[in-house]
Amino acid sequence: MASPILDITEPSFNIPISRLPLDTPLSGFTLLQHDQERAKYLLSRGNDPLEKRTASINVTNVGTTYVASVGVGTPATTYSLLIDTGSSNTWVGASKKYVQTSSSKSTGNSVKVTYGSGSFSGTEYTDTVTLSQPLAIRGQSIGVAANSMGFSAPLDGILGIGPVGLTRGTVGNTPTVPTVTDNLKSQGTISTEVIGISYEPTASGAVTNGELTFGGVDSMKYTGSISYNPITSTSPAGLYWGINQNIQYGSTTVLSSTAGIVDTGTTLVLLATDAFQRYKTATGATRDSNTGLLTITNAQYNALKNLDFSANGVTYSLTPNAQIWPRTLNTAIGGTASGIYLVVSDLGSHSGNGLDFIMGYTFLERFYSVYDTTNKRVGFATTKYTTSTNN
């Protein structure tokens, strides 16, 4: 059984995060294709991480994006950075040009990172990165983009909060580079490498509806207690914030005792192809040709059952309402205003490859999540949105 853990009471700092509206789809790419291209890259890391890290796939990001306003330099220039648990490099310069100040120092090292749904390359600098007062990190390694793909205004880059091992091979000949969380701990700003993330489901395209907490958790953002799950030893899921789970739809077993990841850079809930087919059959859904997502009728929606994710003895249920895309945002993804689209979709690869599911932000909007580097674990707690019917 997972043991509920008392709130982490070390000094912690909260910063607001905002959800940006969906971009207009370009070149025929859909929200699902964006997520599947990212999934291909995440899965490839288990075979040859260093070689495949440099593979470039030109896909335009059409998903909604959660960003934080981050200051870089002295005085600081503010950048809108995507919050990404699936990568660990922090970089700027995709839209707004990097401004050098008295605290900016080029290391001369090249830096390159590919995300499947985009990439950037440029030069490594060290600089002061301000997440909020007093979260100012001195000498933080950042990438300054000379070239980037898949990123457009107002998105300026990425705030990488994944495990430090994901920086391996990205910067010159440096084995790894410390993440923002590593440096907050080493500089004494926080005493434990823990990040809490609160997202809130919304029917609006652009809104400040989330919070990042560094150094602990915000007990006002969840109900009950947090239950933790150890990072899986299965590769490649174990390179990320990966855990083992069973997934069940009603009485139908979708996936049994398998590894996958929690990823804020993914929008949908992705299941291995064979598991997805079991879910599709059980719901009676059909594939929509415009969005690529599953669609259901009103009668099928009324018959939907919970989709249960069981990890370490605790079950986290996506209710029927939590399994559908917000209907007020249907047209933003190429759907019809009256359609009902499911947020559960096809990972694009069969189970048994070491990464059989991805829990994107449509899952995370229903649960508080905790990323504990110190103890190598991921935690979840229910929120007031776990059973809400806002979609």
Side-chain angles (χ1 to χ4, degrees), residues 141-381:
S141 169
I142 62 168
V144 175
N147 300 286
S148 64
M149 293 188 298
F151 299 88
S152 58
L155 189 62
D156 297 316
I158 284 183
L159 178 66
I161 55 174
V164 68
L166 296 179
T167 67
R168 186 173 293 112
T170 61
V171 179
N173 295 318
T174 305
T176 60
V177 294
T179 67
V180 292
T181 316
D182 293 335
N183 281 331
L184 284 171
K185 173 67 163 56
S186 66
Q187 294 178 17
T189 306
I190 60 175
S191 57
T192 184
E193 291 186 63
V194 172
I195 300 173
I197 299 183
S198 168
Y199 291 147
E200 299 175 3
T202 178
S204 172
V207 64
T208 299
N209 66 329
E211 179 188 83
L212 270 177
T213 300
F214 286 90
V217 298
D218 185 349
S219 60
M220 299 297 292
K221 296 295 184 180
Y222 60 90
T223 57
S225 58
I226 300 169
S227 294
Y228 287 90
N229 312 280
I231 298 297
T232 182
S233 60
T234 302
S235 181
L239 299 173
Y240 306 94
W241 293 110
I243 59 175
N244 294 323
Q245 285 194 127
N246 299 310
I247 302 176
Q248 185 162 315
Y249 173 80
S251 60
T252 301
T253 298
V254 175
L255 278 170
S256 181
S257 187
T258 190
I261 68 171
V262 184
D263 182 33
T264 60
T266 297
T267 302
L268 303 169
V269 175
L270 300 180
L271 303 177
T273 299
D274 47 318
F276 168 73
Q277 290 298 331
R278 286 189 283 272
Y279 174 81
K280 178 175 178 288
T281 299
T283 60
T286 58
R287 182 182 179 276
D288 175 65
S289 59
N290 291 325
T291 64
L293 301 179
L294 293 180
T295 184
I296 55 176
T297 65
N298 282 312
Q300 288 170 325
Y301 172 69
N302 291 332
L304 272 186
K305 301 176 175 60
N306 285 352
L307 182 62
D308 295 328
F309 298 77
S310 298
N312 210 14
V314 178
T315 297
Y316 310 93
S317 297
L318 281 184
T319 64
N321 188 259
Q323 292 172 59
I324 67 170
W325 182 257
R327 281 172 269 198
T328 56
L329 298 177
N330 280 353
T331 57
I333 60 169
T336 62
S338 60
I340 304 176
Y341 302 96
L342 296 174
V343 299
V344 179
S345 202
D346 187 355
L347 181 67
S349 61
H350 281 266
S351 61
N353 288 311
L355 198 163
D356 293 342
F357 62 84
I358 299 179
M359 303 160 75
Y361 81 69
T362 45
F363 177 92
L364 297 173
E365 285 181 329
R366 301 292 179 153
F367 297 92
Y368 191 79
S369 56
V370 183
Y371 308 85
D372 185 346
T373 297
T374 302
N375 297 296
K376 298 180 180 179
R377 59 187 184 174
V378 178
F380 298 109

Side-chain angles (χ1 to χ4, degrees), residues 68-84:
S69 295
V70 177
V72 178
T74 308
T77 299
T78 301
Y79 300 90
S80 293
L81 302 186
L82 182 151
I83 299 154
D84 191 8

